[in-house]
């Protein structure tokens, strides 16, 4: 197995994973979506709400605000020793909101939430929550907890997590007459004719449409696009709760743990089966 970094821009990470089967590639993708924990508002205590939105609607909007996550300081509620319904400092963080519109309409934003722990705060301060008319107010206390995307989508750490087989374009340089038909047919400007031959200039942008192969006047075509079966190009966009690199690392740890548990269970069942076979043999 080999990992090749392609691009890191903003909250988006692109990398190539070489030397793995499709089942492994898909398992890693599914874990990044569903089993990497992030911090999200889960309980809301509303003390005052004179806005046009109901308490339930407000709680729902608050739960969808991405929060920065500190996986080193917090644990999942089910793993915490406190076993408290409201949690403790190890398994929950508190954010408060207390705003009032005076003489003008006021938009309440995610930046108005005041975190008890500076490490657990909204990823963006510009997410609108509700508009308050003059005289209206909103006062609440929100409890954020770690959770998993397989329980609710609000805990998903990624807004995009996809992979595709790494494209491959084979060019028969001995037969290619450099007519340029394949270059003109390519919708993504993947190929170019240079001095001495035809070359691929942006392989990762290719989605193997086959237009270049069909446009080639030779039979068989001198250009043959395809896929590398054991190499995959991942594109991951984080919600901002965790860095994309941390999401990949945590997913790898979860996958390794699951494989370890599976192997232990197989060993246990194998041991039990072996003892049973021995007893039957003695009889």
């Amino acid at each position: 197995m080999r990992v090749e970094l392609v691009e890191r821009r903003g909250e988006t990470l692109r990398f190539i994973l070489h030397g793995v089967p499709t089942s492994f590639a898909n398992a890693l993708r599914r874990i990044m979506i569903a089993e990497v924990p992030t911090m999200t508002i889960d309980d809301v205590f509303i003390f005052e709400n004179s806005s046009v939105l109901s308490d339930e609607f407000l709680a729902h909007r608050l739960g969808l605000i991405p929060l920065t996550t500190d996986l080193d300081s917090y644990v999942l509620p089910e793993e915490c020793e406190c076993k408290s319904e409201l949690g403790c400092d190890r398994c929950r963080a508190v954010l408060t909101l207390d705003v009032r519109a005076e003489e003008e309409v006021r938009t309440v934003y995610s930046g108005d939430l005041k975190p008890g722990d500076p490490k657990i705060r909204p990823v963006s301060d510009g997410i609108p929550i509700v508009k308050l008319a003059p005289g209206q107010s909103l006062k609440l206390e929100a409890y954020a907890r770690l959770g998993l995307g397989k329980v609710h989508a609000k805990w998903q750490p990624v807004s995009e997590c996809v992979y595709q087989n790494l494209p491959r374009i084979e060019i028969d340089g001995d037969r290619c007459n450099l007519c340029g038909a394949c270059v003109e047919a390519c919708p993504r400007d993947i190929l170019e004719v240079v001095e001495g031959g035809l070359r691929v200039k942006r392989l990762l942008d290719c989605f193997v449409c086959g237009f270049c192969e069909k446009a080639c006047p030779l039979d068989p075509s001198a250009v043959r696009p395809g896929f590398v079966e054991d190499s995959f190009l991942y594109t991951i966009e984080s919600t901002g709760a965790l860095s994309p690199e941390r999401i990949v690392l945590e997913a790898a740890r979860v996958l390794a743990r699951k494989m370890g548990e599976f192997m232990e269970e197989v060993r246990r069942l194998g041991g039990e089966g072996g003892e049973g076979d021995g007893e039957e043999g003695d009889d």
Side-chain angles (χ1 to χ4, degrees):
M1 183 189 303
R2 180 169 61 88
V3 179
E4 177 184 349
L5 178 64
V6 175
E7 182 184 28
R8 172 68 155 88
R9 182 174 57 189
E11 295 297 337
T12 301
L13 175 69
R14 300 182 77 200
F15 67 92
I16 301 172
L17 188 59
H18 297 278
V20 297
T22 303
S23 55
F24 182 93
N26 192 47
L28 185 64
R29 180 191 69 87
R30 290 173 65 91
I31 289 174
M32 283 191 276
I33 295 172
E35 298 195 50
V36 174
T38 58
M39 189 74 78
T40 302
I41 292 173
D42 196 34
D43 287 318
V44 181
F45 292 88
I46 299 178
F47 305 110
E48 186 177 346
N49 175 24
S50 54
S51 72
V52 296
L53 297 184
S54 65
D55 293 353
E56 292 81 6
F57 203 100
L58 280 170
H60 178 263
R61 290 182 67 86
L62 290 168
L64 296 178
I65 296 174
L67 304 178
T68 56
T69 299
D70 181 8
L71 293 180
D72 300 320
S73 301
Y74 292 88
V75 298
L76 288 164
E78 55 268 28
E79 298 176 2
C80 187
E81 297 178 355
C82 74
K83 306 302 179 184
S84 170
E85 183 177 352
L86 293 180
C88 66
D89 292 340
R90 282 281 292 151
C91 63
R92 65 105 172 97
V94 182
L95 299 95
T96 58
L97 179 64
D98 188 0
V99 293
R100 179 179 177 83
E102 299 299 340
E103 298 179 356
E104 297 181 356
V105 174
R106 175 175 177 176
T107 301
V108 182
Y109 291 98
S110 54
D112 293 313
L113 285 165
K114 306 303 179 185
D117 182 353
K119 294 180 291 187
I120 309 299
R121 54 179 174 74
V123 168
S124 170
D125 291 338
I127 302 174
I129 299 174
V130 66
K131 281 189 175 182
L132 299 180
Q136 292 181 343
S137 59
L138 180 61
K139 184 177 182 181
L140 57 85
E141 193 172 85
Y143 289 80
R145 295 185 178 87
L146 287 177
L148 304 178
K150 65 181 181 181
V151 176
H152 194 287
K154 67 182 181 181
W155 277 300
Q156 289 183 2
V158 291
S159 54
E160 179 186 15
C161 184
V162 297
Y163 73 87
Q164 65 186 69
N165 279 92
L166 187 67
R168 177 185 61 215
I169 301 177
E170 297 178 356
I171 301 173
D172 189 340
D174 295 332
R175 298 177 58 245
C176 179
N177 58 14
L178 303 181
C179 67
C182 58
V183 176
E184 296 177 2
C186 180
R188 291 199 168 185
D189 193 26
I190 305 297
L191 302 169
E192 67 176 349
V193 176
V194 296
E195 183 178 354
L198 178 69
R199 79 175 186 93
V200 179
K201 59 179 179 179
R202 292 206 310 272
L203 177 63
L204 297 184
D205 290 338
C206 177
F207 57 93
V208 194
C209 62
F211 288 170
C212 57
E213 184 176 13
K214 295 175 183 176
C216 182
L218 302 178
D219 186 22
S221 174
V223 182
R224 295 183 300 277
F227 294 105
V228 182
E229 293 185 357
D230 64 347
S231 295
F232 302 88
L233 172 64
Y234 283 82
T235 302
I236 301 165
E237 183 180 2
S238 169
T239 62
L242 294 167
S243 68
E245 293 89 350
R246 184 68 185 268
I247 293 172
V248 177
L249 289 174
E250 290 299 324
R253 291 191 183 101
V254 172
L255 183 56
R257 188 189 74 238
K258 286 178 174 288
M259 290 302 300
E261 293 172 353
F262 175 74
M263 292 173 66
E264 285 298 323
E265 186 65 14
V266 169
R267 292 192 189 97
R268 185 184 67 82
L269 293 176
E272 293 178 355
E275 292 175 4
D277 292 341
E279 292 175 0
E280 291 178 3
D282 293 339
D283 292 339

